[in-house]
Amino acid sequence: MSSDDPCARLPGADSSVRTGDGPLDLSAVRDVSRAVSAAHLFIYLAPEGAEQAAELGVTDYGPVYLALRSAAMGAVPWRVTLAAFYNFSPRAVQAMAGVWDAAPPERWQAARFLAAGRAMRRVGVSLTDDHLAQAHALIGPVVAGADYAGKVLAAANASLPLPSDPLVALWQQITVAREWRGDAHLVVLADNGLGPCDCLVLHTATGTLPRALAQTTRQWNDEEWGAAQARLAARGWLDCYGALTDDGRAARERIEVETDQHCAALWAPIGNAGVRRFASLIAPVTDAFTAAGTFQAVRGQSDPA
């Protein structure tokens, strides 16, 4: 952009995100995003979720996952859930038919909160009252000041009244931040021409998520999976064996960086120091579930993010 370009003088033409302690460091954004994702993840793996769902009359993992995660949006048609979740096949999401007949979304959401609290206390999540207060003071302005345009799951979760239990309330605010990044990530995936199955195939090619787990839970059949691999190979992102190429690895990292850039605005209210402090404050949640072996069911790897 030339110096005589009138657009250069428009407010907001500088796309960098600045805070009270200078430009927001994208490495800090990446770190806090990983911390938030890891601290949120246990809800889909801990037995408490399945136990609460069984009390509502649903025992199949797929419908339970879909109902618990989408309850914040209310009793929307399954296609709305499909749009919000993105990388699931239509047949996977159709399996949730009937969950709102078993119990309304409000009861599913209450079950989710109850499961989260019970699970965190079972594994001994240890946050002092002071650390809880610090964490709430940091995440509060982030959630309150977020721009929710186009952030469907984040907006739905931000609209829920916070539970009275301070630990579960903190986890719910973590959930808002996690879903905000997820919503932003979907925009980046679409901008990069990665459809629902394609993005999942690219993810598994990194080795951080087993194909068997991804394909089973998202219910893409072998033909659909192979077609996605072929599309990625045509772009030079996978080789003929389905392994990630250097170009594919660079593309994947570019997509993550673009997502981080979106998320910089989310975390700007607390600056670099606040972002890094918040990540350290919520680390005991992940540490407790890691020690309990909760994440081994996902991939048997050390990093649950």
Side-chain angles (χ1 to χ4, degrees):
M1 186 179 292
S2 64
S3 59
D4 60 350
D5 187 335
C7 291
R9 298 189 295 274
L10 291 175
D14 181 359
S15 62
S16 63
V17 177
R18 300 188 65 84
T19 69
D21 55 355
L24 199 62
D25 186 345
L26 287 186
S27 68
V29 174
R30 178 76 62 91
D31 289 345
V32 77
S33 295
R34 286 175 171 165
V36 159
S37 180
H40 168 79
L41 179 62
F42 74 84
I43 195 63
Y44 308 116
L45 303 167
E48 286 79 4
E51 292 165 3
Q52 292 301 313
E55 292 188 10
L56 298 179
V58 182
T59 57
D60 290 344
Y61 176 81
V64 168
Y65 171 93
L66 294 163
L68 288 174
R69 190 176 172 204
S70 66
M73 295 192 294
V76 296
W78 69 265
R79 287 181 179 83
V80 177
T81 300
L82 176 66
F85 285 18
Y86 197 75
N87 67 13
F88 284 73
S89 72
R91 72 181 67 89
V93 183
Q94 280 180 288
M96 73 182 294
V99 296
W100 308 137
D101 296 326
E106 294 80 8
R107 289 188 64 194
W108 281 99
Q109 186 63 54
R112 178 170 153 109
F113 284 153
L114 188 57
R118 287 180 175 176
M120 285 189 285
R121 288 183 168 84
R122 172 178 56 82
V123 302
V125 171
S126 178
L127 274 80
T128 66
D129 290 345
D130 178 57
H131 284 176
L132 267 175
Q134 287 185 49
H136 277 292
L138 287 167
I139 193 65
V142 170
V143 171
D147 178 0
Y148 291 101
K151 310 297 189 301
V152 176
L153 277 173
N157 277 278
S159 300
L160 296 174
L162 287 178
S164 58
D165 182 334
L167 184 58
V168 181
L170 174 61
W171 177 80
Q172 177 57 17
Q173 290 180 305
I174 288 170
T175 295
V176 174
R178 183 260 171 265
E179 298 292 22
W180 201 101
R181 188 184 194 279
D183 290 334
H185 192 57
L186 303 190
V187 174
V188 176
L189 291 174
D191 282 348
N192 281 272
L194 281 169
C197 190
D198 300 52
C199 71
L200 196 60
V201 171
L202 186 64
H203 187 174
T204 61
T206 66
T208 58
L209 180 67
R211 169 178 170 173
L213 178 65
Q215 196 171 350
T216 299
T217 56
R218 274 63 173 174
Q219 293 188 30
W220 297 104
N221 62 35
D222 288 341
E223 182 179 357
E224 292 163 335
W225 195 271
Q229 287 181 316
R231 288 190 292 270
L232 292 171
R235 299 176 74 165
W237 293 4
L238 297 182
D239 65 20
C240 61
Y241 301 103
L244 201 64
T245 64
D246 288 342
D247 284 349
R249 190 170 291 104
R252 170 80 181 175
E253 176 59 19
R254 183 183 69 250
I255 288 167
E256 292 301 312
V257 169
E258 290 176 12
T259 305
D260 292 337
Q261 291 169 338
H262 277 271
C263 292
L266 174 68
W267 295 101
I270 59 175
N272 290 296
V275 164
R276 296 194 184 281
R277 178 58 177 160
F278 184 72
S280 69
L281 285 168
I282 64 174
V285 178
T286 307
D287 293 344
F289 282 101
T290 300
T294 304
F295 302 122
Q296 291 176 2
V298 180
R299 50 187 171 276
Q301 297 175 359
S302 60
D303 180 8

